[in-house]
Amino acid sequence: MPRLPLLLCFLALLPCTRGLAQTNVEENVHALELAKTDLEAYGILYEIVETMLASEREQDGGTTVNMAKKLTHVADQISDPTLTGPAYFQLAQAHQRDDETQAAERALEEATNQAMDASNPELILRAAAQNSRLKAGRGRYREANESTQRALDYFIRRGDEGGMARLRSDLVVAKARLLRQQEDITAARARLDRDLAALLAERKRITSENNQRDRDLKSHLNELSKTKEQKAVVEQHAESTRADLRELSREALEQNTLATTAREEVARQRLDRQASEMRAQQQSFRLYTSLGAALILALLAGFFYNRTRAKTRAAAALELVNQDLREARRQSDSLLENILPADVAQELKATGKAKARSFPQTTILFCDFVNFTSIAEQLGAEALVRELDKCFRGFDRIVDEYAEVEKIKTVGDAYMVASGLAEAPGPPVAIIKVALAMQAFLREEAGLRRRSGVPFFTGRVGLHTGPVVAGVVGERKFSYDVWGDTVNLAARIEANSEPGKVNISASTHALVRNDFYCTYRGQVEAKNKGLVHMYYVDACVPTESGRVPGQREKAG
């Protein structure tokens, strides 16, 4: 249902629910059981929670929180941010009333997100201000400032002067809090300096008592130095193995390039040889023509015969040359399209260069192997390269099943894939199918190798959706790559995944929430990114056709 009619229906129901609130909560609960639509249930639940929050009882055994959670559940089913935002704000009030501060902060974050989606400035201001107060009350002044700054950035983008003025005043208060915190830290540092001076005096007093202990420690350190020398030998061996792997990777690429160059040289020599033969035939043809002109009256029949035969041979030779040219062009095009996306390869062939392009909704997938260094030491260089090649070939076959999914590159044991590199990308359903298939492939390989008693790979997979810039870099050995904070955050989400799991961000989850069963992990600390909402993908939601949009039909 469109937002405007839905909101009008909700406003029409409010007088009814206000009449219910004037009686008591028990009657509202009874009316909730008789509700016929989600919208009617939303209105009744909203009045129940509002009435319970307005009551004089400060603790009600979690009843208000339970009702508020039901309200958010109904709002999520309606899927309208104009209703979902107020519902999460009410849930935050209920959690704060029960002194559940962390839960209240999470609900306020969600209320702010939904209010921004619904362009509700009043709710954005209320939610951001309350979230800032909660964080400041717990001494987290920097996070409080960030919450207010995020709302301010939103109003700056919208050009809302009123909202910016109110938030600037909140930032001034937050700055004052930070100054107070700095003063507290300065005072604490002075106390620490005094305590340190006392500790130094105590240390001088007991130095004489520790001489015997120092001798014992020296003996122990001698033993540790021997252990460190053994560890250094092991690390030197590991570094040598990694160097061998890098050298093998470079040699493989160089051999592949040399093989391609050799094939092109053979084709060129064949073309030159055939062109020379054709020129010789043409010269013979001209000679026959001159002789025929001189003897045209006597050898007219023979002239036409020879001319016809020469044309046939020239046409056949020319067709062979054209076939070789077409085959060489086909091989060159196939190699280029195997390295670059099809549209980029076409642009590069047409103009000699490819412009960088921005894509607003691209999903990046990272996969790498757990304990790769230790497994490399167990397998050795040659066996490790064979196993990596086997796994990456399996991943390539999985990616090739989906037209909209593009392999970007491999770096060491990391495998990078992207989708949404198109003018109007759809939801990233196909690339999550790829992620699940990659984990299934690794589990199958692990089962086979486990029965053989040899080491096996387990992988972590992470995905994030957002804007990127993509393009080709370099003049030779072209490389297609993507850049942007989306790529960095996808790598952080992969690093926070568990072996065998598919970990996705909130932005990706919002696009595929109806296509997959997911488990919410909460907010997870990501390096240099702060707390990030993350979800594990458990399984696909069954569909009537059983196929994913964009999946290629299998031959046969």
Side-chain angles (χ1 to χ4, degrees):
M1 181 182 291
R3 290 184 176 178
L4 184 57
L6 186 64
L7 185 58
L8 292 175
C9 292
F10 172 66
L11 293 175
L13 286 172
L14 279 179
C16 300
T17 56
R18 291 187 184 281
L20 292 172
Q22 290 174 359
T23 57
N24 51 55
V25 173
E26 288 76 8
E27 292 181 359
N28 287 338
V29 172
H30 178 68
L32 178 63
E33 296 174 353
L34 301 177
K36 297 179 179 179
T37 64
D38 288 342
L39 188 59
E40 185 178 354
Y42 177 91
I44 296 172
L45 282 168
Y46 194 93
E47 284 298 306
I48 291 174
V49 174
E50 193 173 53
T51 301
M52 297 178 76
L53 288 173
S55 66
E56 296 180 355
R57 295 180 298 168
E58 294 185 356
Q59 301 291 337
D60 53 11
T63 304
T64 305
V65 172
N66 291 334
M67 284 296 181
K69 288 181 177 179
K70 290 181 180 180
L71 175 63
T72 58
H73 177 70
V74 172
D76 288 336
Q77 289 181 333
I78 297 174
S79 298
D80 188 341
T82 59
L83 301 180
T84 309
Y88 276 97
F89 187 78
Q90 292 290 68
L91 176 60
Q93 306 305 308
H95 279 308
Q96 184 176 358
R97 177 173 168 173
D98 288 352
D99 293 330
E100 298 172 354
T101 307
Q102 291 184 346
E105 290 178 3
R106 290 194 296 270
L108 287 170
E109 289 287 348
E110 186 63 24
T112 304
N113 293 338
Q114 296 294 332
M116 289 181 177
D117 290 343
S119 299
N120 187 345
E122 186 61 29
L123 183 56
I124 293 172
L125 289 170
R126 293 176 64 193
Q130 185 168 342
N131 198 5
S132 177
R133 286 194 298 272
L134 287 177
K135 294 180 185 298
R138 301 179 68 187
R140 294 154 54 197
Y141 300 106
R142 187 175 301 279
E143 293 181 20
N145 189 31
E146 290 174 355
S147 177
T148 306
Q149 185 63 47
R150 181 185 171 209
L152 179 59
D153 292 342
Y154 171 84
F155 286 114
I156 290 173
R157 290 194 301 270
R158 296 291 299 271
D160 190 338
E161 295 293 339
M164 287 189 286
R166 292 177 60 178
L167 285 173
R168 286 195 183 99
S169 65
D170 290 343
L171 284 174
V172 171
V173 174
K175 182 177 180 181
R177 293 196 193 102
L178 286 174
L179 290 174
R180 288 197 300 273
Q181 184 185 26
Q182 185 177 5
E183 293 174 356
D184 294 340
I185 291 173
T186 302
R189 183 178 296 170
R191 290 195 298 271
L192 286 174
D193 290 340
R194 291 194 298 271
D195 294 340
L196 181 60
L199 287 174
L200 289 174
E202 181 68 15
R203 180 182 176 184
K204 291 179 180 179
R205 187 182 65 82
I206 63 174
T207 298
S208 60
E209 300 176 0
N210 290 335
N211 289 335
Q212 184 60 37
R213 295 178 185 175
D214 289 343
R215 287 192 292 272
D216 295 338
L217 284 173
K218 288 179 181 178
S219 176
H220 183 60
L221 287 174
N222 290 331
E223 297 177 358
L224 286 177
S225 64
K226 295 178 181 178
T227 304
K228 288 181 179 178
E229 291 175 358
Q230 295 174 353
K231 181 180 178 182
V233 172
V234 173
E235 290 179 348
Q236 183 178 5
H237 180 266
E239 180 60 30
S240 176
T241 302
R242 286 193 289 270
D244 291 342
L245 287 175
R246 289 192 294 270
E247 186 64 27
L248 284 173
S249 299
R250 286 195 296 270
E251 290 179 359
L253 289 173
E254 291 173 357
Q255 290 174 1
N256 187 20
T257 303
L258 290 174
T260 302
T261 304
R263 288 195 297 270
E264 291 176 352
E265 181 63 23
V266 169
R268 186 185 64 77
Q269 292 176 358
R270 187 187 302 121
L271 291 174
D272 292 342
R273 185 170 59 254
Q274 292 173 350
S276 298
E277 293 175 357
M278 189 173 69
R279 284 194 298 271
Q281 291 172 355
Q282 289 174 348
Q283 290 175 358
S284 298
F285 175 73
R286 285 193 294 270
L287 178 61
Y288 292 149
T289 302
S290 299
L291 291 174
L295 302 174
I296 190 168
L297 295 176
L299 304 173
L300 185 60
F303 167 74
F304 281 114
Y305 173 74
N306 289 331
R307 182 184 178 190
T308 303
R309 205 169 74 176
K311 277 187 175 182
T312 302
R313 288 197 302 268
L318 184 60
E319 178 61 25
L320 289 176
V321 171
N322 289 335
Q323 287 180 358
D324 289 339
L325 284 173
R326 286 193 294 270
E327 178 62 20
R329 185 179 294 110
R330 186 193 65 78
Q331 292 179 358
S332 176
D333 292 345
S334 177
L335 179 62
L336 192 61
E337 291 180 358
N338 194 35
I339 298 173
L340 305 174
D343 56 342
V344 177
Q346 292 297 330
E347 183 182 358
L348 195 61
K349 288 188 294 182
T351 65
K353 59 182 179 179
K355 296 180 180 179
R357 299 170 59 191
S358 297
F359 298 96
Q361 185 176 301
T362 299
T363 301
I364 303 297
L365 179 152
F366 275 102
C367 174
D368 74 347
F369 299 124
V370 181
N371 297 327
F372 178 77
T373 302
S374 62
I375 294 176
E377 293 173 355
Q378 297 177 52
L379 290 177
E382 294 182 1
L384 179 64
V385 170
R386 286 198 301 270
E387 287 305 312
L388 276 178
D389 181 65
K390 183 177 182 181
C391 290
F392 286 167
R393 284 177 181 269
F395 291 173
D396 290 345
R397 289 192 294 271
I398 293 170
V399 171
D400 288 342
E401 294 182 8
Y402 300 91
E404 68 182 65
V405 181
E406 195 75 45
K407 175 184 176 181
I408 302 301
K409 62 183 176 181
T410 60
V411 180
D413 65 321
Y415 191 90
M416 181 179 177
V417 181
S419 71
L421 299 174
E423 294 297 335
V429 175
I431 195 170
I432 295 182
K433 284 281 189 177
V434 168
L436 293 173
M438 290 166 69
Q439 290 290 23
F441 173 81
L442 290 177
R443 285 194 295 271
E444 182 179 352
E445 288 297 316
L448 296 174
R449 296 182 66 80
R450 187 183 292 110
R451 288 193 291 273
S452 302
V454 294
F456 54 87
F457 289 131
T458 56
R460 291 187 297 261
V461 178
L463 300 95
H464 175 59
T465 303
V468 301
V469 174
V472 176
V473 295
E475 294 183 357
R476 295 183 298 105
K477 298 182 181 179
F478 298 112
S479 174
Y480 183 77
D481 209 344
V482 293
W483 301 271
D485 190 61
T486 298
V487 178
N488 299 330
L489 187 51
R492 297 292 185 267
I493 291 173
E494 176 271 318
N496 281 279
S497 181
E498 295 179 2
K501 295 286 190 179
V502 176
N503 193 27
I504 64 175
S505 66
S507 62
T508 305
H509 177 261
L511 297 172
V512 299
R513 60 192 304 175
N514 297 323
D515 299 293
F516 296 91
Y517 297 113
C518 299
T519 300
Y520 178 56
R521 300 181 60 193
Q523 289 182 310
V524 180
E525 181 71 28
K527 184 179 179 181
N528 298 329
K529 299 296 181 183
L531 295 176
V532 179
H533 293 278
M534 297 186 189
Y535 299 79
Y536 278 143
V537 179
D538 299 324
C540 302
V541 175
T543 60
E544 294 181 0
S545 64
R547 292 185 66 253
V548 179
Q551 185 175 12
R552 294 186 173 98
E553 293 285 355
K554 293 184 179 179

